[in-house]
Amino acid sequence: MKTKLSIFTVLLVSAAGMSNVLAEEKAGMITTESGVDFIPALNAGIKYDDNIASSRTDEEDSWILTVAPAVKAQMLDGNNIYSFDAGIEYGDYFESNDDNYLDALLRARAEVELNQANRFNLMALYSYNHEARGTGILDFGFDLGLQQEPATYNLYQGGGYYEYGAKSTPARVRVNGLYEAKEYTNFDDINYFTDIAKYRNKDNIKLGATVYYDTRATTSIFLDYQNIQTAYDVIDPSGDRDSDTQNLKLGVEWEATSTTEGSIKVGYQKKTFDNQEREDFSGVAWDAKLTWKPLTYSQFDFSTGSGSKDPDTFGDYVRETTYGVKWNHDWSDLFGTTLGYDRIQDDYTGFEREDTTNVYRVSFNFEVLRWMTLKAGVDISDKTSIQERFDYNRNIYFITAEMTL
């Protein structure tokens, strides 16, 4: 542990040296003659997790060192923006090397404006991610003694949208499409409980359209329709999970004013399974986000949403409802605090399970230097379920350093 804490200290010192070397560059980025700007970043942290497997009993605890370097390359060509992001995150568990992870991300974007009335946005993404023990497809695995390491998966995404209509005119139309594939890379060759991974490999094809009408310079009313076709690679022993989900929502969004900005969408969702033995879903769905800034140095973020989703484990679908609030306050130019609360209610259909998760966050932010911010705090999670084996309490105490040029 002493050695790993020393590594954390070395990272901070190295970042300080990097900042001095690059002091002559433009703040926040490295500008090249080719017109491509590079924006590097490095986040490093140390945290203590008192329940690393989100277990109801026999909790394991560990100190964890995280290191996350990243770089963004960006080129501006008139009104067009081309960008590429790359980053990794390494997590080292002092007391449990089997829980160590290495996540990676590659993403490319193109935002192109052909003329006043025609524009499009394209995106391609690849990421390699992990699901910590006791979460995701094996949130029951620890108590059954089946999971000794995180589940890992590849995620592929590609798509974008085309928009017609000048921003100076009231009406605009946007059509969008997205292809997504998720493939687990372990837990696929032991038994049903642990080879559940191969039954959760899936493809999503999302197609939709949105009609906007601007009532004022900063406010738009819109009608949004999205259709998602989900196909699983292997049929689950409990029955085919392929489905078609339709969302029709009416909403309003407004850009930042002196005190508020946000988006509210309310409508109807229908989820239909190919397998007639599974129970379909239809009902009200919503998604809302609101930012309120009563003072220039104080901001409140509110969010809520509700709809159906595919379960990671058992059941036909999950009706998930979320609520969240966060308060950021800068007490001075160098010191700020964050208080947050999230509530997640998951109601399973086709499997007797109802979960309620409450998450609290308190953090203190110190802008030590222009290029480095230190954050220290705690995340407190409390999950209860009608099936007690899914209950757990978890506290994560952390200190991180966020560094840029």
Side-chain angles (χ1 to χ4, degrees):
M1 178 176 176
K2 187 175 180 179
T3 301
K4 293 174 181 178
L5 288 175
S6 298
I7 293 173
F8 180 63
T9 303
V10 168
L11 287 170
L12 299 184
V13 174
S14 300
M18 177 186 71
S19 180
N20 291 332
V21 170
L22 299 172
E24 295 182 359
E25 299 291 347
K26 183 179 178 181
M29 68 175 62
I30 303 172
T31 303
T32 65
E33 294 182 358
S34 65
V36 180
D37 298 328
F38 293 92
I39 306 171
L42 173 64
N43 291 347
I46 191 78
K47 59 185 177 181
Y48 173 75
D49 188 335
D50 67 5
N51 189 1
I52 59 177
S54 300
S55 177
R56 182 176 64 90
T57 60
D58 301 324
E59 294 95 338
E60 295 180 70
D61 65 317
S62 180
W63 287 90
I64 307 165
L65 172 70
T66 60
V67 182
V71 64
K72 179 176 183 176
Q74 180 175 282
M75 183 176 70
L76 304 180
D77 180 18
N79 293 327
N80 305 329
I81 303 174
Y82 305 94
S83 62
F84 178 80
D85 299 276
I88 61 173
E89 178 175 313
Y90 174 68
D92 189 319
Y93 286 70
F94 295 8
E95 306 298 331
S96 176
N97 290 334
D98 289 340
D99 286 290
N100 294 350
Y101 65 88
L102 179 64
D103 294 344
L105 169 71
L106 297 173
R107 179 173 55 203
R109 288 178 175 173
E111 302 175 40
V112 179
E113 186 172 320
L114 301 175
N115 51 49
Q116 263 192 333
N118 295 273
R119 65 195 68 86
F120 64 86
N121 188 318
L122 299 177
M123 180 275 292
L125 176 147
Y126 165 75
S127 65
Y128 178 79
N129 302 302
H130 80 287
E131 293 175 347
R133 279 193 297 153
T135 66
I137 60 171
L138 285 166
D139 67 352
F140 58 87
F142 181 77
D143 285 336
L144 296 179
L146 301 173
Q147 188 181 17
Q148 303 302 322
E149 63 181 5
T152 56
Y153 62 91
N154 294 310
L155 181 67
Y156 306 89
Q157 289 183 341
Y161 67 81
Y162 164 76
E163 185 174 277
Y164 175 76
K167 294 182 179 180
S168 58
T169 60
R172 290 172 289 124
V173 178
R174 176 182 295 184
V175 294
N176 63 275
L178 177 70
Y179 171 76
E180 178 182 84
K182 186 175 185 178
E183 300 176 356
Y184 284 89
T185 62
N186 57 356
F187 295 106
D188 60 358
D189 59 357
I190 303 176
N191 57 55
Y192 175 70
F193 288 103
T194 51
D195 70 3
I196 191 174
K198 72 181 180 183
Y199 301 119
R200 295 300 179 266
N201 295 336
K202 62 181 179 180
D203 299 333
N204 286 326
I205 298 177
K206 181 178 182 179
L207 299 172
T210 310
V211 179
Y212 294 89
Y213 184 80
D214 299 336
T215 59
R216 283 186 274 172
T218 60
T219 305
S220 298
I221 296 174
F222 60 89
L223 182 65
D224 178 67
Y225 173 78
Q226 302 293 326
N227 178 268
I228 304 173
Q229 293 182 327
T230 302
Y232 286 82
D233 295 351
V234 180
I235 296 178
D236 190 293
S238 66
D240 188 358
R241 289 184 171 276
D242 293 357
S243 65
D244 183 84
T245 305
Q246 301 180 67
N247 292 277
L248 180 63
K249 295 177 182 177
L250 180 66
V252 59
E253 64 181 15
W254 62 100
E255 299 176 4
T257 64
S258 59
T259 57
T260 66
E261 67 176 326
S263 173
I264 299 174
K265 296 187 289 185
V266 180
Y268 179 78
Q269 183 184 69
K270 183 176 182 180
K271 185 179 187 69
T272 306
F273 289 96
D274 294 351
N275 182 357
Q276 295 183 357
E277 294 183 1
R278 293 197 181 276
E279 184 174 339
D280 298 337
F281 169 80
S282 61
V284 176
W286 70 83
D287 182 21
K289 296 178 182 179
L290 171 66
T291 296
W292 176 46
K293 203 167 185 178
L295 302 167
T296 57
Y297 48 84
S298 192
Q299 177 175 308
F300 292 86
D301 296 306
F302 304 93
S303 63
T304 181
S306 184
S308 72
K309 68 173 188 177
D310 288 358
D312 289 324
T313 52
F314 309 112
D316 298 335
Y317 65 84
V318 182
R319 176 65 184 264
E320 184 173 83
T321 304
T322 62
Y323 306 92
V325 59
K326 184 172 66 174
W327 176 40
N328 290 309
H329 189 87
D330 294 327
W331 300 95
S332 70
D333 292 338
L334 303 179
F335 175 69
T337 56
T338 299
L339 299 177
Y341 169 71
D342 290 289
R343 182 180 179 87
I344 304 168
Q345 295 176 315
D346 290 327
D347 185 2
Y348 288 69
T349 296
F351 182 62
E352 188 178 356
R353 180 178 175 184
E354 293 180 15
D355 299 345
T356 300
T357 305
N358 295 294
V359 181
Y360 310 86
R361 163 170 282 215
V362 179
S363 70
F364 303 90
N365 313 316
F366 307 88
E367 189 171 335
V368 181
L369 298 167
R370 178 196 59 78
W371 51 271
M372 182 169 70
T373 300
L374 291 180
K375 294 186 178 182
V378 59
D379 290 330
I380 302 170
S381 299
D382 175 23
K383 183 174 183 178
T384 58
S385 175
I386 61 172
Q387 295 203 32
E388 291 185 355
R389 62 193 175 112
F390 295 108
D391 294 356
Y392 70 83
N393 293 299
R394 186 179 185 184
N395 302 308
I396 302 175
Y397 306 89
F398 62 88
I399 177 170
T400 62
E402 298 179 357
M403 294 161 278
T404 59
L405 289 184

